[in-house]
Amino acid sequence: MTPVELSRAVLCAVRRAVDDGELSVAVPDRAVVTPPGPGGRGDYATGIALQLARPAGQTPLRVAEVLRPYLMGAEGVRGVEITGPGFLNLSLDGPAVADLVRRIRAEGPRYGHGDGLAGEVFEVRVPYEVRAEVLADVLARMVGAQGGRVDVSHDGGHGGHGGERGRAVLRPAPAPEDPAPLGLDAARWALIHPGPHDRPRITADHLVQREGNPLFRVRYAHARTRAVCRNAADLGFAAEPGPLDAADLVGLLADHPRVLGTAVAVAVAPSNRPVKPSSGARVVPDVGAPSRLARHLVGVADATLVLLPAVLPRGAEKPSAAHRARLALAEAAGAVLAGGLSLLGIDAPDHL
């Protein structure tokens, strides 16, 4: 079950509670579902109860208590806990996690690609500046992964988004100096990882092979997933998706298609409702999407590095179903890291 599917399940629970007279609210258009924050539990969490409390005339905790039994009946949901002021923490069935891992392993680095922007053409105008050129290139890759196309042209005017559908002016904070001495991969990362309005650091820190370097962690995590797959083959056991306790990593992998889908933004006021490109709303490439993808990959890498020490059996220990499930999850994580780095235009070596 993906975050999008789980979001629909949350809205269905709200609708059923309204129909049964348990809540008196307008059913919202969307429910935000994310990996649990500090103090959270399970695979995902939603603050829908906090969102509905005021219009329902109830406390968030009471709204959460009303929604809990409806969510417990949702397909793929194993458990629902209430934490804090009214957050609903959702645990998924083992088969749902296994299905996600199977899907990622089947699709490989193209997991999260789609055709939601098929036929859409966006124009991005950029100044003659290296960072703007690189961000435009990544935007084009991300939009292309959703079936659309970005046409890049050069603009000598002032910044801001353009006023017509499909057009944007991309003028990020410029690089303070030429990043070329860092080499292609580190230079691109230095320009992409900060938010577009943050000035990038062009320093040798991006070349350091240590955990303090986010680019190193992402590439190292990918290389380690490839290494454990080779080591497992040497030990004579193969991956087999199954239930496991790795909620942080599973949540991040499930969220990957949504992150890739942020390549465009819908400029609609005053609502934040999701609008399809074909609806006539002003839809433009989202200049913050490349940095969000980079930060997402750092999160995937960090969660993967936590998993990897438990993938292979130790000493005389025999490979178990848990080892096979962890190996399958590691393979899936490696595919997401490789695919994400490719969209950033950065190499994902098998050996590092």
Side-chain angles (χ1 to χ4, degrees), residues 134-153:
V134 168
L135 292 184
D137 174 70
V138 177
L139 273 176
R141 292 166 184 256
M142 294 181 71
V143 170
Q146 305 305 314
R149 192 179 88 232
V150 170
D151 289 340
V152 180
S153 60

Side-chain angles (χ1 to χ4, degrees), residues 1-9 33 44 92 96 100 103 111 250-251 253-258:
M1 179 178 286
T2 68
V4 172
E5 293 168 334
L6 196 54
S7 176
R8 293 194 193 106
V33 176
Y44 293 99
L92 303 185
L100 172 67
R103 175 187 169 189
Y111 166 66
V250 170
L253 298 183
D255 203 33
H256 187 64
R258 184 195 63 80

Side-chain angles (χ1 to χ4, degrees), residues 17-55:
V18 170
D19 291 344
D20 290 348
E22 296 278 356
L23 288 176
S24 179
V25 293
V27 179
D29 293 301
R30 63 193 296 260
V32 177
V33 176
T34 63
R41 300 185 180 90
D43 300 303
Y44 293 99
T46 177
I48 190 70
L50 284 74
Q51 176 183 340
L52 298 178
R54 184 183 293 274

Side-chain angles (χ1 to χ4, degrees), residues 15-338:
R15 190 172 295 108
R16 289 173 59 202
V18 170
D19 291 344
D20 290 348
E22 296 278 356
L23 288 176
S24 179
V25 293
V27 179
D29 293 301
R30 63 193 296 260
V32 177
V33 176
T34 63
R41 300 185 180 90
D43 300 303
Y44 293 99
T46 177
I48 190 70
L50 284 74
Q51 176 183 340
L52 298 178
R54 184 183 293 274
Q58 306 272 2
T59 66
L61 189 58
R62 173 57 187 157
V63 175
E65 290 170 346
V66 168
L67 293 177
R68 183 177 182 276
Y70 291 99
L71 283 168
M72 283 294 296
E75 183 179 357
V77 175
R78 184 181 74 249
V80 182
E81 292 185 65
I82 301 171
T83 60
F87 290 101
L88 288 155
N89 294 255
L90 312 169
S91 298
L92 303 185
D93 283 336
V97 174
D99 288 345
L100 172 67
V101 173
R102 288 191 186 95
R103 175 187 169 189
I104 298 173
R105 294 175 71 220
E107 297 182 13
R110 292 185 58 82
Y111 166 66
H113 292 211
D115 58 3
L117 298 177
E120 294 288 332
V121 180
F122 304 94
E123 180 182 341
V124 174
R125 292 182 293 169
V126 300
Y128 289 96
E129 193 275 324
V130 63
R131 190 181 188 205
E133 300 270 11
V134 168
L135 292 184
D137 174 70
V138 177
L139 273 176
R141 292 166 184 256
M142 294 181 71
V143 170
Q146 305 305 314
R149 192 179 88 232
V150 170
D151 289 340
V152 180
S153 60
H154 288 89
D155 173 71
H158 296 290
H161 287 287
E164 62 193 72
R165 176 179 169 79
R167 175 174 294 179
V169 177
L170 200 169
R171 295 183 66 85
E177 57 188 280
D178 182 8
L182 296 177
L184 178 62
D185 290 333
R188 288 182 72 93
W189 182 268
L191 299 174
I192 294 166
H193 184 250
H197 302 298
D198 297 329
R199 186 171 293 275
R201 294 182 304 103
I202 309 302
T203 67
D205 293 348
H206 297 292
L207 301 174
V208 174
Q209 305 290 289
R210 285 199 292 265
E211 291 185 359
N213 176 4
L215 173 59
F216 170 74
R217 294 207 304 278
V218 172
R219 299 176 85 198
Y220 178 66
H222 171 263
R224 289 281 293 119
T225 64
R226 304 307 305 145
V228 296
C229 291
R230 293 191 299 268
N231 293 340
D234 291 341
L235 292 173
F237 79 97
E240 178 58 43
L244 40 74
D245 183 15
D248 289 347
L249 179 54
V250 170
L252 287 164
L253 298 183
D255 203 33
H256 187 64
R258 184 195 63 80
V259 174
L260 297 188
T262 65
V264 296
V266 182
V268 179
S271 171
N272 288 323
R273 296 175 183 176
V275 181
K276 294 182 179 180
S278 59
S279 68
R282 187 165 70 88
V283 184
V284 297
D286 188 342
V287 298
S291 64
R292 281 197 294 276
L293 175 56
R295 293 193 297 272
H296 173 69
L297 294 179
V298 174
V300 172
D302 289 344
T304 301
L305 291 171
V306 171
L307 168 78
L308 290 176
V311 170
L312 299 177
R314 298 182 180 182
E317 187 180 13
K318 299 295 184 182
S320 65
H323 290 113
R324 293 182 175 87
R326 294 183 200 119
L327 179 61
L329 181 59
E331 286 185 6
V336 167
L337 292 170

